[in-house]
Amino acid sequence: MSVDASGDRRAELAAGLAAVRARIEAACAACGRDPGELTLVVVTKTYPASDVALLTDLGVHDVGENRDQEAAAKVAALAGTPGAGRLTWHFIGQVQTNKARHVARYADLVHSVDRPALVDALAKGARAAGRRVGCLVQVSLDGDPSRGGTPVEDVPALAGAIAGYPDLELRGVMAVAPLGADPLQAFAVLPRLRDRLRSDHPRAEVISAGMSADLEAAVTVGATHLRVGSAVLGSRSRHG
Ligand SMILES: *Cc1c(COP(=O)(O)O)cnc(C)c1O
């Protein structure tokens, strides 16, 4: 990449970030929240490691990926660069059980824990790597598990399974708004689910909800983590 192209991309990313931060601030102002309570996870899937490096330079400390191979390659590419030590890697995609051990080697917070077999495999991987991996229970808000997520009624049992492993840390809940649903209504159940977990597990404070299209609704219901890709990096359909 030439210096000029890199400068253009940096400016593009800076503009995307500024626009998203302005949306978050406006949404917080509208419901009386402090923007400092929110973690913006920039979803870098399909974009190159060079974008992650530029984002780090622009003050981003949380990045999200959804495929093991791609994520691991970016973690390796960033290792040793300035700022890499401050990066938190979020794994936000469905995890095949046979990939879970590998994901546990680099992911700091896995947002998409949705079944007991995955809990067991992540715990084995975390132990083998000598790491403690944060986990969110992904909740299916429409009861259709095809896009990942466990039904609402199974959340406490799955959370208990995570909390039972010393190599994992139960951090809260995550959800994706169902297609076509009103996100404000769909997300409304999340604070209650999180509060129920937090009563036994004080560190289970996270509500991960909200993407480029519906981050305002997530802020309104009390999300702590927003997962935003295209509004920062550009439309994934328009790049190679
Ligand atoms: C891709 C993805 C996002 C980000 O989506 P955008 O619409 O690009 O903001 C958030 N969460 C999950 C689970 C994703 O797969």
Side-chain angles (χ1 to χ4, degrees):
M1 181 158 45
S2 77
V3 171
D4 283 355
S6 153
D8 288 352
R9 184 57 175 152
R10 190 179 199 283
E12 246 170 45
L13 293 174
L17 267 179
V20 167
R21 286 182 177 141
R23 283 175 64 189
I24 294 170
E25 275 168 31
C28 283
C31 65
R33 293 190 66 193
D34 173 0
E37 298 169 6
L38 279 144
T39 300
L40 171 62
V41 178
V42 179
V43 177
T44 48
K45 66 188 185 195
T46 77
Y47 285 94
S50 54
D51 278 356
V52 181
L54 289 169
L55 287 164
T56 311
D57 198 43
L58 291 165
V60 170
H61 300 309
D62 293 87
V63 292
E65 288 285 334
N66 72 338
R67 289 182 51 243
D68 172 48
Q69 212 181 353
E70 182 183 345
K74 284 179 204 171
V75 173
L78 268 289
T81 63
R86 287 196 310 272
L87 267 181
T88 297
W89 291 91
H90 297 256
F91 198 91
I92 62 168
Q94 292 185 45
V95 189
Q96 294 167 258
T97 308
N98 64 351
K99 299 280 171 67
R101 286 181 68 116
H102 195 244
V103 168
R105 286 162 65 161
Y106 58 83
D108 298 300
L109 186 63
V110 179
H111 291 226
S112 42
V113 180
D114 62 358
R115 58 193 190 281
L118 180 54
V119 175
D120 299 342
L122 284 169
K124 282 202 187 89
R127 167 154 303 191
R131 306 179 72 235
R132 190 144 191 250
V133 176
C135 294
L136 305 181
V137 176
Q138 183 178 348
V139 187
S140 169
L141 296 176
D142 57 0
D144 169 10
S146 65
R147 291 200 301 154
T150 195
V152 167
E153 59 272 22
D154 294 344
V155 170
L158 199 57
I162 294 166
Y165 278 109
D167 317 284
L168 303 179
E169 183 168 45
L170 177 66
R171 295 297 318 282
V173 295
M174 175 275 215
V176 179
L179 289 173
D182 172 2
L184 210 48
Q185 272 177 21
F187 291 151
V189 69
L190 296 172
R192 185 169 54 79
L193 287 171
R194 186 273 317 268
D195 292 347
R196 192 169 157 190
L197 303 188
R198 193 165 50 173
S199 63
D200 288 332
H201 310 284
R203 288 269 292 158
E205 61 210 359
V206 172
I207 298 176
S208 166
M211 317 192 343
S212 293
D214 55 19
L215 70 87
E216 284 84 1
V219 169
T220 304
V221 301
T224 64
H225 287 58
L226 307 170
R227 309 177 309 269
V228 179
S230 51
V232 174
L233 290 121
S235 164
R236 287 181 294 275
S237 59
R238 286 196 292 108
H239 86 108

